[in-house]
Amino acid sequence: MAVQDLWVLFLVLGLLMFRAQVLQSQNLTCSQNDLKALQDFVRGLKLPIEGWGDTNSSSHDCCNWLGITCNSSSSLGLVNDSVDSGRVTKLELPNRRLNGELLESIGSLDQLRTLNLSHNFLKNSLPFSLFHFPKLEFLDLNSNDFSGSIPPSINLPSIIFLDISSNYLNGSLPTHICQNSSRIQALGLAVNYFSGTLSPGLGSCTTLEHLCLGMNDLTGGISEDIFQLQKLKLLGLQDNKLSGNLSAGISKLRSLERLDISSNGFSGTIPDVFHSLSKFKFFLGHSNDFVGTIPHSLANSPSLNLLNLRNNSLGGIIDLNCSALTNLSSLDLASNNFSGPVPVNLPSCKNLKNINLARNKFTGQIPESFRDFQGLSFLSFSNCSISNLSSALQILQQCKNLTTLVLTLNFHGEALPDNPVLHFENLKVLVMANCKLTGSMPQWLAGSSKLQLVDLSWNRLTGPIPSWFGGFVNLFYLDLSNNSFTGEIPKSLTGLPSLINRSISIEDPFTGFPIFPVKESNDNILTGRIWPEFGNLKKLHVFELSYNRLSGPIPSELSGMTSLETLYLSHNNLSGTIPWSLVNLSFLSKFSVAYNQLHGKIPTGSQFMTFPNSSFEGNHLCGDHGAPPLPKIRSTFLLTLMIMIVLRANSRGEVDPEWVDAGADDKELEEFGSGLVVLLQNKECYKDLSLENLLKKLAIKRLSGDCGQMDREFHAEVEALSRAQHPNLMKKENRESEVFDPFIYDKQNDKELHRVFEIACLCLSEYPKLRPSTEQLVSWLDNIDTNTNT
Ligand SMILES: *[C@@H]1O[C@H](CO)[C@@H](O)[C@H](O)[C@H]1NC(C)=O
Ligand SMILES: *[C@@H]1O[C@H](CO)[C@@H](O)[C@H](O)[C@H]1NC(C)=O
Ligand SMILES: *[C@@H]1O[C@H](CO)[C@@H](O)[C@H](O)[C@H]1NC(C)=O
Ligand SMILES: *[C@@H]1O[C@H](CO)[C@@H](O)[C@H](O)[C@H]1NC(C)=O
Ligand SMILES: *[C@@H]1O[C@H](CO)[C@@H](O)[C@H](O)[C@H]1NC(C)=O
Ligand SMILES: *[C@@H]1O[C@H](CO)[C@@H](O)[C@H](O)[C@H]1NC(C)=O
Ligand SMILES: *[C@@H]1O[C@H](CO)[C@@H](O)[C@H](O)[C@H]1NC(C)=O
Ligand SMILES: *[C@@H]1O[C@H](CO)[C@@H](O)[C@H](O)[C@H]1NC(C)=O
Ligand SMILES: *[C@@H]1O[C@H](CO)[C@@H](O)[C@H](O)[C@H]1NC(C)=O
Ligand SMILES: *[C@@H]1O[C@H](CO)[C@@H](O)[C@H](O)[C@H]1NC(C)=O
Ligand SMILES: *[C@@H]1O[C@H](CO)[C@@H](O)[C@H](O)[C@H]1NC(C)=O
Ligand SMILES: *[C@@H]1O[C@H](CO)[C@@H](O)[C@H](O)[C@H]1NC(C)=O
């Protein structure tokens, strides 16, 4: 993923910067030449730069301006400067929301070593002079709106680091760059619209260590001269349209540590040439058309840390040599045609923590050997034709470090064991959807007190929903839909801390995606009343109890669910009146109490005026909406019973960091089975964006692409959202992600709100490619939080 590569770039940059000499501004008056160049620079911008004051004044000393570093002309060896003046050697204004264009006159800053204008809104073409700085070493323009192509002539003899990722640049790649710029170590061109083939030229960049070309529109194969780059550590080509066989030339990249060719059209077998790559750690090759099996040299690599070949057409038996694979930490071979038994030897891969083997064609059971899999943290075997759940659970409970267990679409029709000795103390995620399991909710599950996400939907479970679900203090997602549960909604669910306040995010801002649906349907018949305590769920956004047999009044306390947008209580036996307190639910935009036994007057005011008559029909109500009740007899087979509580509470997390921690330090777990979606709008949006609209545009990310049921709902949700006016729906797969969370959308805090709008608009670009990283977003949102408290 390009984002990952960019982070690597940042790290490299850090090192390079450390090596570079620190320039300090003394009490120098800046040279007239540089003052004029900076004044011209400001003229290209729409707004003045904060901290630069009146840039017109010639008495100004630009060496003291924000983001400017000067060296004396004498120290720079500029003997011709008559007076010793300050020469601008660094111009660093990242993240300043600069809007406008970069003019040719920037080239007059001829002593510049560092130019950092990353994360701004600079647009139009890159000036010719930008590529002809004699002394420039670090050029960082990543995440702007630059467009057009790169000038054909480049002469940056001192350049070490060049990053123009995440812009709208097009045309062909500047493969000739190293003819004049021979010192370059890191080249970042990812997340642009470069097209054409990866033609020869880059092979002359002999000092190159990091080459990031991911997320462009490149076609054809990898030009062979790239394999001459003896110092290359990272090669990122993901998310292009590259095709053909992967060349055996890869074997010549002796320094290679990370190869990302995922989401291209590479085909044929993976060449068995990795034995010579003694530093090779990360191989991301998912979503190509590779056939054959895992080559021997990969299956025996002592340096390999992550192997992700998900979504290819590999087959045969998984034959890994765990005596050799001593550093393997994450293995993702999901969505291939591997067959035979589940590999028995995996536990002898000493460092293996994360395994995704979903959607293959295994036979048999979870092997006994997995009892000794002490390091195992993440295990997914969805849709793998595995049987004997009872044995699987007995074996896996011995894996004390297991936090995520995904077993959807296996064990068809078996009973969910209620063996009281079962105990999964560290389990956080349990997904066993669509297994047609029978039995009732087992008591042993109550012991998994760290559960955050439970999906047991599409089974045949019966009996009550136990009240001990209320004891899972970190639970934020519960899906029990399409089972046959009966009885009351446990009142304990109304006390779940994660649904009431921000306890999760206070403890850990990354804890999971804040959605909490409880779904019941088909044969489920929930009876009893709606607990007034549901009013405690201040962070609840959707509350849906339609098609049940709930009775009693609608509690006026529901007005305490102050974030509520959707309230569906239709098709129950609710009686009494509609509480007037509900008019205080100022975010409410969808509402129905149709087909109950309600009487009295429909509340007036605020949103209630906007709800259609159909929201109230089938009652004995009067008032503006008191449409005459239609006699309606529903045939029982039409009855769909559903409870849905969706909570978009507090945490603005994405992938649980535990999952990430479990792997190697890199961000490979983002690759590791994550399915994500981001909804985007035009960056100019916020001028006329209402709060409601913004709420509708919340970016959404799901935890894992591997939880069958979640995926299905997820798609439905995304479709629904996309139909609702989202032209720039983000491509689901393999793009960078961010999460917007409504937790701050609190009407009392206008200032916060505006900041959120700003952030939203910084993130929502008219092109789906340009947005800040999740890390940045989280930190921005965190800052808002802090500011509010102070
Ligand atoms: C700039 O000045 C600093 C001392 O303030 C010095 O260490 C550095 O070498 C100078 N840079 C150049 C490029 O001469
Ligand atoms: C730099 O200027 C400040 C005031 O502008 C002064 O206090 C300081 O002594 C000066 N330093 C040098 C090294 O001239
Ligand atoms: C600076 O000078 C330009 C023309 O050189 C002028 O248009 C602009 O208004 C001046 N700005 C200020 C703040 O004086
Ligand atoms: C100084 O100026 C002279 C004449 O303008 C020029 O020939 C020479 O190359 C310059 N030297 C430097 C170091 O710029
Ligand atoms: C540019 O600034 C950003 C934000 O401070 C920083 O992360 C990046 O490393 C800088 N790049 C260079 C070349 O200094
Ligand atoms: C190398 O630099 C020279 C002088 O600036 C320029 O004319 C030429 O086009 C450059 N070559 C390439 C391949 O950019
Ligand atoms: C590059 O983008 C510009 C608009 O920014 C467009 O006019 C031009 O045709 C594009 N060129 C190519 C080669 O796609
Ligand atoms: C590509 O790989 C396939 C199978 O691995 C092989 O049959 C074919 O000859 C290869 N094509 C080329 C051009 O090397
Ligand atoms: C799987 O890979 C194919 C290309 O081989 C791609 O089109 C598809 O979107 C990928 N699917 C997933 C779920 O990654
Ligand atoms: C395995 O990982 C350890 C720790 O990161 C590292 O020191 C060692 O060099 C690695 N082994 C190989 C063969 O790369
Ligand atoms: C497995 O790896 C070990 C250690 O590198 C090696 O000695 C052994 O020959 C390998 N086995 C196979 C079948 O390649
Ligand atoms: C199990 O997890 C703990 C805490 O995360 C860790 O310290 C320990 O090393 C892990 N055990 C194994 C065998 O990986």
Side-chain angles (χ1 to χ4, degrees):
M1 207 166 173
V3 195
Q4 296 166 327
D5 296 352
L6 294 180
W7 276 97
V8 178
L9 268 191
F10 291 151
L11 291 178
V12 174
L13 178 67
L15 286 172
L16 294 176
M17 297 301 284
F18 188 72
R19 272 189 244 155
Q21 286 174 312
V22 181
L23 310 183
Q24 273 163 9
S25 62
Q26 295 152 344
N27 285 359
L28 292 164
T29 306
C30 73
S31 77
Q32 285 303 308
N33 174 73
D34 292 358
L35 177 61
K36 178 164 188 313
L38 291 174
Q39 287 167 342
D40 287 347
F41 166 66
V42 173
R43 272 178 207 125
L45 306 177
K46 286 195 179 153
L47 293 170
I49 296 171
E50 276 174 62
W52 281 24
D54 174 15
T55 46
N56 276 8
S57 158
S58 60
S59 66
H60 250 100
D61 184 3
C62 70
C63 291
N64 293 326
W65 291 353
L66 178 84
I68 301 287
T69 305
C70 292
N71 267 47
S72 69
S73 53
S74 60
S75 79
L76 296 169
L78 303 172
V79 291
N80 276 8
D81 287 21
S82 52
V83 219
D84 196 14
S85 59
R87 300 304 311 270
V88 175
T89 50
K90 290 187 181 185
L91 171 52
E92 296 168 299
L93 293 169
N95 274 306
R96 292 269 146 205
R97 276 179 252 165
L98 306 182
N99 196 333
E101 55 185 326
L102 204 50
L103 304 176
E104 281 296 347
S105 52
I106 189 82
S108 306
L109 294 170
D110 53 31
Q111 295 302 313
L112 215 52
R113 265 70 173 170
T114 298
L115 177 59
N116 189 347
L117 301 173
S118 63
H119 292 98
N120 282 299
F121 297 89
L122 300 171
K123 54 176 176 279
N124 297 344
S125 55
L126 295 169
F128 176 88
S129 60
L130 194 65
F131 295 93
H132 293 81
F133 275 110
K135 305 281 173 61
L136 196 64
E137 296 171 357
F138 300 93
L139 174 58
D140 193 345
L141 298 178
N142 106 68
S143 299
N144 276 284
D145 295 342
F146 289 115
S147 57
S149 53
I150 294 190
S153 161
I154 300 178
N155 190 3
L156 295 168
S158 308
I159 200 82
I160 296 172
F161 177 99
L162 193 159
D163 188 4
I164 48 177
S165 306
S166 296
N167 281 285
Y168 305 127
L169 299 167
N170 63 6
S172 53
L173 284 177
T175 48
H176 58 285
I177 184 167
C178 292
Q179 283 182 23
N180 287 329
S181 316
S182 57
R183 296 177 60 199
I184 194 159
Q185 294 178 20
L187 180 58
L189 302 171
V191 201
N192 278 294
Y193 293 89
F194 292 115
S195 57
T197 58
L198 188 42
S199 54
L202 289 171
S204 56
C205 299
T206 51
T207 52
L208 201 59
E209 295 180 8
H210 292 77
L211 178 58
C212 303
L213 306 176
M215 291 172 78
N216 281 292
D217 296 323
L218 303 173
T219 52
I222 307 174
S223 88
E224 287 286 321
D225 72 330
I226 283 186
F227 303 129
Q228 296 163 16
L229 299 175
Q230 289 297 307
K231 298 203 167 151
L232 200 65
K233 294 179 181 166
L234 181 152
L235 179 55
L237 298 170
Q238 71 282 11
D239 260 282
N240 278 291
K241 296 166 187 154
L242 299 168
S243 57
N245 288 2
L246 185 59
S247 165
I250 290 277
S251 66
K252 291 189 263 176
L253 296 173
R254 296 301 166 92
S255 307
L256 196 65
E257 294 176 12
R258 182 182 183 105
L259 174 64
D260 191 346
I261 53 169
S262 55
S263 298
N264 278 290
F266 288 109
S267 55
T269 53
I270 301 171
D272 189 7
V273 295
F274 293 89
H275 39 261
S276 52
L277 307 187
S278 63
K279 296 176 180 152
F280 193 53
K281 295 190 178 73
F282 304 98
F283 186 22
L284 294 138
H286 69 79
S287 299
N288 281 290
D289 298 320
F290 288 124
V291 295
T293 188
I294 302 170
H296 182 268
S297 54
L298 274 179
N300 283 268
S301 164
S303 56
L304 195 65
N305 210 299
L306 167 84
L307 181 60
N308 184 344
L309 293 170
R310 173 165 41 95
N311 191 20
N312 279 288
S313 301
L314 301 168
I317 287 175
I318 295 179
D319 186 12
L320 301 177
N321 184 352
C322 280
S323 318
L325 286 166
T326 47
N327 274 9
L328 187 67
S329 163
S330 296
L331 176 68
D332 190 343
L333 300 175
S335 296
N336 279 288
N337 298 321
F338 289 110
S339 56
V342 174
V344 173
N345 68 333
L346 290 181
S348 33
C349 289
K350 284 286 170 272
N351 270 301
L352 194 53
K353 297 180 181 69
N354 307 300
I355 301 177
N356 187 353
L357 295 177
R359 295 177 299 277
N360 279 290
K361 295 172 179 151
F362 298 115
T363 49
Q365 311 183 3
I366 302 280
E368 284 288 332
S369 59
F370 275 54
R371 281 183 197 278
D372 305 321
F373 216 154
Q374 291 312 308
L376 187 64
S377 171
F378 177 114
L379 181 66
S380 171
F381 267 116
S382 287
N383 205 349
C384 285
S385 315
I386 292 175
S387 60
N388 201 344
L389 178 58
S390 173
S391 153
L393 292 177
Q394 282 193 42
I395 291 165
L396 293 173
Q397 71 158 335
Q398 305 294 326
C399 308
K400 293 300 177 202
N401 273 15
L402 192 63
T403 57
T404 300
L405 182 57
V406 183
L407 296 172
T408 291
L409 278 165
N410 289 292
F411 315 111
H412 188 91
E414 294 183 27
L416 180 55
D418 59 0
N419 184 347
V421 304
L422 290 174
H423 187 48
F424 289 85
E425 58 181 327
N426 286 315
L427 205 59
K428 293 181 177 172
V429 175
L430 175 64
V431 182
M432 285 199 294
N434 223 329
C435 300
K436 306 282 179 275
L437 300 176
T438 59
S440 57
M441 199 63 86
Q443 181 67 35
W444 57 262
L445 194 57
S448 304
S449 58
K450 294 180 182 162
L451 278 172
Q452 297 176 2
L453 183 154
V454 176
D455 182 354
L456 295 172
S457 62
W458 296 89
N459 283 298
R460 292 170 182 159
L461 302 174
T462 52
I465 300 171
S467 64
W468 41 255
F469 270 98
F472 296 144
V473 293
N474 293 318
L475 195 70
F476 65 88
Y477 184 108
L478 175 61
D479 190 344
L480 303 176
S481 63
N482 289 65
N483 279 287
S484 303
F485 294 111
T486 48
E488 295 192 330
I489 311 164
K491 191 187 266 185
S492 60
L493 286 185
T494 68
L496 279 172
S498 47
L499 310 194
I500 296 171
N501 54 41
R502 296 182 195 170
S503 60
I504 286 185
S505 64
I506 286 165
E507 285 159 22
D508 179 351
F510 285 102
T511 313
F513 182 69
I515 275 200
F516 181 85
V518 181
K519 291 194 178 176
E520 311 281 331
S521 67
N522 291 351
D523 306 323
N524 296 353
I525 300 170
L526 293 173
T527 53
R529 47 190 304 224
I530 301 172
W531 304 113
E533 289 85 351
F534 274 113
N536 293 339
L537 304 183
K538 293 186 177 55
K539 298 295 163 183
L540 201 67
H541 282 242
V542 178
F543 189 47
E544 187 166 340
L545 297 162
S546 303
Y547 295 103
N548 277 290
R549 289 189 198 154
L550 299 166
S551 55
I554 300 174
S556 63
E557 288 86 348
L558 293 191
S559 64
M561 300 158 100
T562 46
S563 307
L564 208 61
E565 294 164 47
T566 300
L567 177 59
Y568 284 148
L569 302 174
S570 66
H571 297 95
N572 280 290
N573 294 325
L574 300 171
S575 54
T577 59
I578 302 175
W580 279 74
S581 63
L582 297 187
V583 303
N584 296 326
L585 292 173
S586 39
F587 290 99
L588 199 63
S589 60
K590 293 180 186 157
F591 178 83
S592 178
V593 292
Y595 301 101
N596 280 289
Q597 309 291 329
L598 300 167
H599 65 266
K601 200 162 156 36
I602 295 172
T604 52
S606 71
Q607 288 85 341
F608 270 79
M609 305 309 289
T610 65
F611 301 139
N613 284 354
S614 57
S615 295
F616 304 96
E617 67 189 14
N619 286 291
H620 311 288
L621 295 162
C622 58
D624 287 347
H625 289 93
L630 300 172
K632 200 142 193 176
I633 300 160
R634 300 180 71 89
S635 53
T636 44
F637 80 91
L638 273 181
L639 271 187
T640 336
L641 309 171
M642 175 148 110
I643 295 179
M644 184 164 91
I645 304 176
V646 178
L647 177 82
R648 293 182 190 140
N650 34 52
S651 54
R652 43 260 190 228
E654 39 152 5
V655 177
D656 185 333
E658 298 288 337
W659 299 19
V660 178
D661 288 345
D665 59 336
D666 258 66
K667 302 193 163 283
E668 74 268 22
L669 281 186
E670 274 180 23
E671 296 290 335
F672 194 81
S674 76
L676 56 97
V677 145
V678 181
L679 302 171
L680 295 168
Q681 269 287 339
N682 194 304
K683 186 157 63 189
E684 310 283 306
C685 65
Y686 86 100
K687 288 177 207 131
D688 47 26
L689 185 66
S690 71
L691 174 62
E692 199 183 20
N693 280 338
L694 187 60
L695 281 167
K696 281 185 195 150
K697 280 169 205 148
L698 298 176
I700 290 177
K701 176 166 183 178
R702 295 304 278 248
L703 278 172
S704 164
D706 202 30
C707 309
Q709 181 65 11
M710 282 166 60
D711 249 7
R712 208 163 36 73
E713 290 167 18
F714 174 52
H715 284 296
E717 191 171 359
V718 167
E719 270 173 39
L721 281 167
S722 62
R723 272 194 303 273
Q725 62 170 246
H726 303 292
N728 293 329
L729 181 66
M730 182 71 177
K731 187 178 152 195
K732 180 176 172 273
E733 282 278 322
N734 306 318
R735 297 279 164 170
E736 58 186 302
S737 70
E738 60 265 324
V739 174
F740 275 14
D741 192 308
F743 77 101
I744 8 182
Y745 302 112
D746 186 340
K747 282 190 307 169
Q748 284 107 319
N749 291 306
D750 273 352
K751 224 166 72 185
E752 273 181 287
L753 205 61
H754 278 286
R755 177 63 182 139
V756 171
F757 281 169
E758 276 174 13
I759 292 175
C761 293
L762 286 170
C763 298
L764 304 178
S765 148
E766 53 192 326
Y767 282 77
K769 285 191 172 186
L770 175 65
R771 279 153 298 108
S773 67
T774 306
E775 285 82 356
Q776 283 174 307
L777 206 65
V778 167
S779 96
W780 291 344
L781 294 178
D782 272 342
N783 281 338
I784 290 179
D785 226 357
T786 317
N787 294 341
T788 323
N789 297 339
T790 51

